[in-house]
Every structure is written in C-alpha cells, then in structure tokens.
Amino acid sequence: MKPIFAHPLRAALAGIGFLLAAAAPAAATTIDKVVSPGGIEAWLVEDHTVPVITLSFAMAGGSAQDPDDKLGLASLLSDMLTEGAGAYDAAGLKAVLADRSIQLGFGSSQDYFTGRVKTLSTERDAAFELLRLTLAEPRLDPADLDRVKAGRLADLNFQENDPGTIADDRWSAAAFPGHPYGRPTIGTKATVAAIGPDDLRGAQRRLIARDGLRLAVVGDIDAATLGPALDRIFGDLPAAGDLRAVPEIKMVAAGQTAAAMPVSQAVIQLGYAAPRRDDPDYFPSIVMNHILGGSTFTSRLYTAVREQRGLAYSVDSNLIQLRHSGVLVITAGTQAARAGESLKVIRDEIARLAKDGPTAQEVTEAKSYLIGSYPLGFASFDALASYVLQLQLAGRGRDFIELYPGLIEAVTADQVKAAAAKILEVKDPTAIVVGGPAS
C-alpha cells in the first residue's frame, strides 16, 4: 500500500515520486522537448543503458478541488483507478500488471493529480495501453469502492490518535484558515463515508484532462516513438478540465497552541511564510534552510536540540513550495515531558539565526553540500522522471539542471543573513505541540 498523507504538507514533502521504487541510474541529463502529432508535449531524457521506461505525469487539480463535504475525493479517485479498467476487473488488472512486470500507480497532492508507469521496453505498448485504460475507462465499481473506503477509514481511525497527523491537521488549519490548504487531503471519516461512485466519476471528468497535463519520460524510448504514443495514451481525454480557482495565500502567524495527549513522545510543528520560486530570496533561503535544519547531522537545530541537549529524537526544517504558497516548516519529535523545553531551544536557535545570520563557514559548507549532493536527487530513472516533472510544474527551463549549481554558488552570506531576517523575524509564528501538557 502506498503511503497515506493526511495533510497537504506531508503530501508536499513526499512530492510526486512516492509511487514506485527506483530503477537503474540514469546517466543522461539532456532534456528534449517532444510534441506529439496531436500537440501533447512531454520532456524526454533518452537513455538506452537499460531496457526500462518511466513515464510520470501531473494534471492540475488535486485535493484543493475537493468539495467541502467530500474531502478526500481526489485521493480516493487516485486509489480507485487501479481497481479495474476497461475489460479488466480489479483482480484482472492487478494480474496483468504483475504478469508483465508493469508498475502503475496514481496519487494526488493538494495541487495536482499524478501518475506513473514504469515498464520494460518489451512491454511498452501494453503498459501504455493500461495507462490509457485506467485514465479513460476506470470501472469504479461500487464493491471495489466499498473495500477501498474501508481501508481509508481504518487509516483515519489510526490517525485520530497519531500525534504527527494531529499536528499536521491543526497546524495547517491555523496557518491557512478558510483555504483548501488547511484541509486534510485524504478527508475525514464523515466525508470519505459520503463519497460514492457518481462522485468519483464527476471528479474524473473535472480533474483528468489534457489542458493541465505535464509529462516527463525517462529511459529506453526515442522521440519518434514517444510522440505518437502520447496521443494514444492521452489523446482521448477531455481537452479541458473543470477546475475552480484556488487563491494565492500567505500563511498567517497564528501563535502557539497545544493539544494534550497521553503519549510519551510529543510532536512539535512550527512554520513561517517562505519565498516563492520567483522571489530574489528563494535561493538564499535554500542555503539558510540547510543551515537551520535541512542537513541531517550538522544543522543548527540538530546540534542544539539533539546533540547538545538530547531533547529530541528528530528535528529538521523543510522549505515547501505549494502552487499558491510557500512555507518553511520545522518539525521535531521529543519527550512529552520536555516538549516545552525543546520548543524553547528551537525558538532560540531560530531567533539567533534571524538576528545574527550565518557564519561565512556555514554558508560555504552549505553551498558545497547542496551542489555536491544535487545529482543524487535524480540518480535513477524514477527519480529523474520525478525531477523533470517537478521542473515543469515549477516553471523552470529544460536547462535548469545545469543552471542550479551556479545559482547556489552565487548566493552570498549577506543574502542568506537578509533572507533569514526576513523569513524568521516573526513575532508569533504558527506553532503546535501535540502530546505535551495543554496550555
């Protein structure tokens, strides 16, 4: 079973590469644009070192399009697409995928409906046809829906007592009040129970369309073969979906709240509005985040909270780019009895970085790590396909892989200091402690 992310931030952290395991390393990084005879565009990294093809796609939509009384609809639709399509019932579809060693899966985040197929080159035509069937002719049988919903409701029952999920939900509701980003992506027990086959078919018509389609293909296929295949897979989908507008939002500073729970380990989550990708502070903020909590064993938060004081078993920070907002989120898992102390140390480290900025050595080391580790993010066919797709969703050019190291290298210590002051000097940032004493 693929991971369940109850809330937009976990979905965002997971990105769109959670569906399948990695393939063999991809040696090539040249990205070519392929346009099908019917006008469907894909970005292709052609690599014939192994006979494998990965195709990843995203369509604008996702849980932000869920009706308020049917939260979890997009996520449930993504689960149901592999529960039978065309002439295949659920068992038959799973059997043919297994027999041909084809990996096919779908997902949804707050902003996008996503999918991926990975296949041996010899099974290419069959894999592409199964992808077409699942998108255009899903069965969405009521009995299968009841079974999938039962699994989802079991997950939701578990998450009612999971401190991490509770922290996610409450933090987001406070940070994004009245906005789709403040809602759980997999829904609630009441909204999931209310979803029926007609709701799924309506979501299919609204979300699965060509107008917001972005495609990345990596592996043993050339442009001449890929172009016509794109028309066969996606050409019969509606030209346009039916999406409601999602407003831009800057997360609010809502202050600190706590939720007492009888658990031994508490979860802390706090966050700040972060620069968008087109902001001059964006690349300095990447370096700043690495110094603050983005590096696993050398960050300021790790050193102060875990290494020096032994307060937390995990602490990190992440820059998250949603389609309509940007956030910096700090999370920590700590002893419930010491949650307040842990949060104070985290706040003190944030305040120190905001006031004094980083040292020159910290900036140099952070840039060296970010540049040196960058290729590891797309060292397999699957990872590279996910990354190429993310470039399209981010509005980057096909040459961004070559540009990124220079953009990071150009960041100065003064720019990082200015970004830290701008992002972190917030009087009362949104924070939640789940598992510690109530306040």
Side-chain angles (χ1 to χ4, degrees):
M1 179 183 295
K2 68 172 181 272
I4 288 291
F5 300 100
H7 161 273
L9 294 178
R10 291 193 179 186
L13 285 170
I16 56 176
F18 64 88
L19 293 171
L20 304 168
T29 55
T30 299
I31 304 172
D32 296 316
K33 183 171 76 172
V34 177
V35 180
S36 75
I40 298 173
E41 180 180 322
W43 286 10
L44 169 65
V45 179
E46 187 175 343
D47 188 330
H48 303 283
T49 54
V50 291
V52 174
I53 303 165
T54 294
L55 181 153
S56 294
F57 73 86
M59 298 171 177
S63 67
Q65 300 296 320
D66 288 348
D68 289 338
D69 61 345
K70 300 289 173 67
L71 299 181
L73 179 57
S75 175
L76 204 60
L77 175 63
S78 72
D79 286 348
M80 285 296 297
L81 292 187
T82 51
E83 296 294 333
Y88 298 101
D89 62 11
L93 180 58
K94 290 176 172 59
V96 70
L97 291 171
D99 289 345
R100 293 179 176 272
S101 298
I102 297 168
Q103 297 180 356
L104 174 64
F106 302 92
S108 66
S109 67
Q110 58 276 40
D111 292 318
Y112 297 104
F113 193 87
T114 63
R116 175 181 292 167
V117 63
K118 183 168 73 174
T119 180
L120 295 171
S121 307
T122 53
E123 301 293 340
R124 179 191 68 211
D125 292 343
F128 288 173
E129 171 60 13
L130 290 170
L131 174 57
R132 184 197 70 80
L133 276 177
T134 51
L135 289 172
E137 302 178 34
R139 294 182 58 147
L140 307 177
D141 288 340
D144 295 322
L145 176 58
D146 289 343
R147 173 173 47 80
V148 172
K149 283 170 58 175
R152 176 65 58 85
L153 291 170
D155 289 328
L156 289 166
N157 276 325
F158 169 80
Q159 291 175 357
E160 284 183 342
N161 297 299
D162 174 51
T165 302
I166 294 169
D168 274 342
D169 287 345
R170 297 195 180 187
W171 187 90
S172 293
F176 300 108
H179 192 277
Y181 289 166
R183 310 180 310 181
T185 61
I186 69 166
T188 68
K189 289 193 292 186
T191 61
V192 169
I195 293 171
D198 289 343
D199 299 307
L200 293 177
R201 296 196 182 281
Q204 177 197 356
R205 289 190 297 268
R206 293 193 304 273
L207 302 181
I208 300 179
R210 299 197 310 272
D211 57 337
L213 177 64
R214 299 292 182 270
L215 283 156
V217 183
V218 177
D220 187 25
I221 189 170
D222 58 27
T225 305
L226 177 60
L230 296 176
D231 285 340
R232 290 195 299 272
I233 300 169
F234 300 102
D236 291 335
L237 295 180
D242 182 14
L243 305 180
R244 65 181 181 183
V246 177
E248 297 290 313
I249 184 171
K250 181 178 181 180
M251 62 155 286
V252 303
Q256 180 178 334
T257 59
M261 287 186 69
V263 293
S264 60
Q265 294 180 331
V267 172
I268 297 168
Q269 187 160 304
L270 69 157
Y272 301 79
R276 306 299 299 279
R277 291 185 179 94
D278 57 353
D279 191 304
D281 287 324
Y282 177 68
F283 290 101
S285 74
I286 292 175
V287 178
M288 184 274 291
N289 174 68
H290 183 84
I291 293 167
L292 175 63
S295 57
T296 306
F297 300 117
T298 61
S299 72
R300 288 192 177 194
L301 290 179
Y302 182 90
T303 300
V305 177
R306 179 181 170 95
E307 192 170 83
Q308 294 178 352
R309 296 172 177 85
L311 289 173
Y313 58 88
S314 65
V315 59
D316 57 34
S317 64
N318 289 277
L319 279 171
I320 301 171
Q321 288 290 311
L322 304 170
R323 191 176 184 188
H324 302 286
S325 192
V327 292
L328 170 68
V329 177
I330 297 97
T331 56
T334 182
Q335 299 175 45
R338 304 185 75 181
E341 181 184 359
S342 299
L343 182 56
K344 182 181 184 304
V345 174
I346 291 170
R347 287 184 179 275
D348 287 346
E349 283 302 313
I350 291 170
R352 185 164 70 91
L353 184 58
K355 179 177 181 293
D356 300 329
T359 66
Q361 182 177 352
E362 284 178 317
V363 172
T364 298
E365 291 176 351
K367 292 196 300 183
S368 177
Y369 179 88
L370 290 167
I371 293 170
S373 64
Y374 180 60
L376 300 178
F378 42 87
S380 71
F381 279 10
D382 289 355
L384 182 55
S386 292
Y387 187 78
V388 171
L389 183 58
Q390 291 283 10
L391 291 183
Q392 296 176 70
L393 300 179
R396 302 297 189 190
R398 287 182 288 122
D399 59 348
F400 186 79
I401 289 178
E402 285 72 36
L403 296 177
Y404 176 85
L407 294 168
I408 293 295
E409 183 57 43
V411 172
T412 68
D414 285 343
Q415 289 174 327
V416 178
K417 181 177 181 180
K422 188 180 298 185
I423 297 166
L424 301 176
E425 284 186 347
V426 176
K427 181 179 180 181
D428 206 10
T430 303
I432 177 74
V433 180
V434 177
S439 63

